[in-house]
């Protein structure tokens, strides 16, 4: 499986998944919440690395980093994440169609896990998760330019 994807493609898959968790985290910025959410992101990825049955998910979870810098503005995190997710779904549909559902589930579970890590911000986080879900299912949410 992992031989099917080159390093650049794996990086796109990783940027989409990790970016989704980061995007939820920055959708409602609270200093201490960010630490809780980042910790939850790391735990979720570590669990997937050890227990996922998907070769793609394991490969994505092996890497480090989100593909974004510490000072990347939230608008760039959003556009970069959504574009990486679009590319990831297209890539998987072309090269590993059996892995598409596992990747989608991993990304959505990751985003929801980060959202649940700290109280407050539910509306902003729900809106962000809806955008992620729409891109993963290839449907732009109403009122969105995504």
């Amino acid at each position: 499986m992992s031989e099917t994807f080159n390093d650049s493609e794996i990086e796109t898959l990783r940027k989409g998944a990790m970016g989704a968790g980061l995007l939820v985290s920055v959708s409602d910025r609270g200093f201490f919440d960010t630490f809780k959410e980042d910790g939850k992101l790391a735990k979720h990825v570590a669990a997937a690395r050890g227990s996922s049955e998907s070769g793609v998910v394991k490969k994505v979870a092996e890497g480090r980093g989100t593909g974004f810098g510490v000072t990347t503005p939230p608008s760039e995190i959003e556009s970069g994440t959504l574009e990486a997710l679009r590319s990831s779904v297209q890539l998987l549909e072309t090269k590993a169609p059996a892995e598409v559902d596992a990747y989608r589930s991993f990304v959505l579970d990751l985003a929801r896990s980060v959202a649940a890590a700290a109280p407050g911000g539910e509306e902003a986080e729900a809106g962000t998760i809806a955008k992620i879900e729409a891109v993963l299912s290839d449907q732009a949410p109403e009122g969105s330019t995504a």
Side-chain angles (χ1 to χ4, degrees), residues 10-104:
I10 290 293
E11 201 50 46
T12 296
L13 292 164
R14 183 173 297 123
K15 184 175 183 177
M18 301 306 137
L22 182 61
L23 184 57
V24 169
S25 183
V26 300
S27 69
D28 181 55
R29 284 189 177 251
F31 183 72
F32 291 107
D33 291 350
T34 300
F35 285 116
K36 289 179 189 171
E37 291 166 344
D38 289 349
K40 191 66 164 179
L41 174 72
K43 284 180 184 174
H44 192 91
V45 171
R49 186 172 42 245
S51 65
S52 179
E53 297 196 9
S54 164
V56 165
V57 170
K58 281 186 176 202
K59 192 73 176 165
V60 167
E62 283 175 6
R64 300 263 185 253
T66 62
F68 299 98
V70 176
T71 59
T72 304
S75 61
E76 286 182 33
I77 293 172
E78 180 174 341
S79 61
T81 295
L82 297 179
E83 184 52 41
L85 288 171
R86 268 188 216 93
S87 297
S88 294
V89 170
Q90 290 172 347
L91 179 65
L92 290 168
E93 286 174 345
T94 302
K95 288 190 157 189
E99 294 280 358
V100 174
D101 287 340
Y103 181 79
R104 283 181 177 140

Side-chain angles (χ1 to χ4, degrees), residues 1 7 10 14 20 28 31-32 40 46 63 102 108 111 113 116 118 128 130 133 145:
M1 183 300 313
D7 290 344
I10 290 293
R14 183 173 297 123
D28 181 55
F31 183 72
F32 291 107
K40 191 66 164 179
L108 287 171
S113 177
T128 300
E133 206 164 8
T145 58

